[in-house]
Amino acid sequence: MRRWLKRLRGTLVMALLWAVGWGLAGLLIGVSSLLLPWLPWDAFFAVFDAPLPALAVPGFFGGALFSVVLGIGEHRRRFDELSVRRFAGWGALGGLLLSMIPTSAVLLGSASRWPIAAIIVVPVTLLSAASAAGSLWLARRATGHRELEGGRAVDDLWLTDALAQDLMTRAE
């Protein structure tokens, strides 16, 4: 029971982090459209007619899907054992699954805007891959700070021998 609560908490944190990141990405798109009016923003705004911070909603579900996909695919590994490329690959898979939600609605006939479903696959997949890479970077950064504050030995910090020697000589 406790393990499931821990996984649920991790999924919720990942979903919230992605929601914040995607909401900020939406604001960045809006600011860019004002600062760079010569770029073809009309195509984007013709498809996405919601307020730009509303990208936080698919970001939340994308983060949750990514967390589930990562939990299934890499359930026996820690973050420090995964490469950024592998993490981004799982993020891309989560983004592809996320983009399949509106695509399946179009295929089932409940939505009439099939161009939207076709257009969002690539950006959602790429944004999910980037979000996953950023999530790994944040997780490693947070873990590194905790280990440093906890006073662990240099060997426990995964430093190379050369870097450990350099740190030891600087400390003297």
Side-chain angles (χ1 to χ4, degrees):
M1 176 75 168
R2 189 172 197 188
R3 184 182 346 161
W4 284 103
L5 288 175
K6 187 175 179 180
R7 285 183 183 184
L8 183 62
R9 185 188 73 188
T11 299
L12 184 62
V13 168
M14 186 71 68
L16 290 173
L17 284 173
W18 280 38
V20 169
W22 286 36
L24 290 175
L27 288 174
L28 184 63
I29 290 170
V31 169
S32 298
S33 70
L34 295 174
L35 296 177
L36 308 170
W38 60 87
L39 293 176
W41 295 106
D42 294 337
F44 173 79
F45 291 117
V47 172
F48 191 78
D49 58 356
L52 291 172
L55 282 176
V57 174
F60 181 85
F61 290 108
L65 271 171
F66 165 70
S67 185
V68 169
V69 166
L70 184 68
I72 292 170
E74 301 289 348
H75 66 279
R76 296 197 185 268
R77 294 187 185 192
R78 298 185 319 249
F79 282 157
D80 61 348
E81 296 174 336
L82 295 171
S83 67
V84 174
R85 181 178 290 171
R86 190 172 179 106
F87 220 71
W90 289 117
L93 178 61
L96 188 62
L97 290 173
L98 178 64
S99 66
M100 290 299 119
I101 294 170
T103 304
S104 63
V106 168
L107 292 175
L108 294 174
S110 65
S112 61
R113 299 179 75 182
W114 65 267
I116 294 174
I119 291 172
I120 67 167
V121 172
V122 173
V124 168
T125 302
L126 292 176
L127 187 56
S128 295
S131 298
S135 298
L136 180 62
W137 178 77
L138 281 174
R140 286 183 175 169
R141 185 178 163 106
T143 303
H145 285 293
R146 250 187 277 128
E147 288 176 348
L148 288 172
E149 290 170 2
R152 289 201 170 172
V154 171
D155 292 340
D156 294 338
L157 295 177
W158 299 89
L159 298 178
T160 62
D161 290 337
L163 186 56
Q165 185 62 35
D166 183 46
L167 289 173
M168 297 294 261
T169 56
R170 288 183 187 192
E172 293 174 353

